[in-house]
Amino acid sequence: MTRIIAIIAWIGLLIYGGYYSIFINPGSTFLADLFAGNADPFAFMVFNLLGMIPLAFFVFFQSYYQLKWYHYVFLLGSFVFGGFATGGIFVFPPEEKTPKVTRRVIIAGLLITIAVMAYGLGFGSLTTYLESFQTDTFVHVMTVDFFVLFIFYLALPKLNKGIIQLFFVPAFYIQMLFGDLK
């Protein structure tokens, strides 16, 4: 059932992202601001978390599943396209294998995630981010993508469900690090 929900969320993301970008498109200055160092820290945080989430998915699937070449395309593509690429792994799921967890990468991912979140939450402005959400296509679609990736996270088969999952990205790394998997 969770796989079906993930597939529906992926199709919804594809349709919504395409529709919003083509027909509504208020324009975007976010990437230019980001590379110039002028992006709001909260937006910077969300953007960078959209890199830490694919890393967590990559480690998760690499550790617990037997991947074929096209799974790598989905997982590596997610570093650039986020949920637009990640969703494919739910349509063409890999087979399970004996777990082999890469602790160093998980610890690095967890520490970077915590640092990015501390920076964004400590120095960013939710109000500025919400304004950008309404006026910048990239920020808008990036935010929707973030929530779809959260749905994908909840749909992963091996994760124990519970209150920890509300903390999404750090929780994902913590669950892998401490073996809080079924």
Side-chain angles (χ1 to χ4, degrees):
M1 180 63 172
T2 56
R3 180 173 169 240
I4 299 299
I5 292 169
I7 292 170
I8 291 168
W10 182 53
I11 292 168
L13 176 64
L14 293 172
I15 292 169
Y16 183 79
Y19 176 81
Y20 189 86
S21 297
I22 294 168
F23 296 109
I24 297 175
N25 192 0
S28 181
T29 60
F30 175 73
L31 285 177
D33 290 344
L34 181 72
F35 292 126
N38 298 327
D40 176 69
F42 198 92
F44 175 85
M45 175 189 71
V46 174
F47 179 79
N48 282 290
L49 287 178
L50 285 172
M52 299 313 297
I53 298 166
L55 177 63
F57 275 110
F58 186 85
V59 171
F60 175 80
F61 281 104
Q62 179 69 31
S63 298
Y64 295 95
Y65 291 89
Q66 184 65 41
L67 302 176
K68 296 191 178 351
W69 68 269
Y70 52 88
H71 296 121
Y72 286 104
V73 171
F74 298 137
L75 293 170
L76 294 174
S78 68
F79 284 99
V80 177
F81 301 109
F84 292 94
T86 307
I89 207 152
F90 290 94
V91 176
F92 305 103
E95 295 178 25
E96 289 189 44
K97 72 172 186 181
T98 304
K100 183 182 178 192
V101 179
T102 311
R103 293 203 182 280
R104 288 185 181 142
V105 175
I106 295 171
I107 291 169
L110 177 61
L111 294 175
I112 292 168
T113 298
I114 290 170
V116 166
M117 290 178 71
Y119 173 71
L121 294 172
F123 298 103
S125 167
L126 181 59
T127 304
T128 302
Y129 186 82
L130 293 174
E131 288 172 9
S132 296
F133 177 79
Q134 295 174 342
T135 61
D136 190 294
T137 301
F138 191 88
V139 172
H140 187 92
V141 174
M142 175 178 76
T143 305
V144 173
D145 186 21
F146 183 86
F147 287 108
V148 169
L149 286 170
F150 181 68
I151 292 169
F152 291 166
Y153 164 67
L154 295 176
L156 291 174
K158 292 183 172 293
L159 296 179
N160 286 324
K161 309 302 186 227
I163 193 82
I164 191 172
Q165 287 193 298
L166 296 177
F167 298 99
F168 186 19
V169 188
F172 195 177
Y173 284 107
I174 290 168
Q175 284 181 302
M176 286 189 291
L177 185 63
F178 293 111
D180 190 19
L181 303 171
K182 294 177 186 171

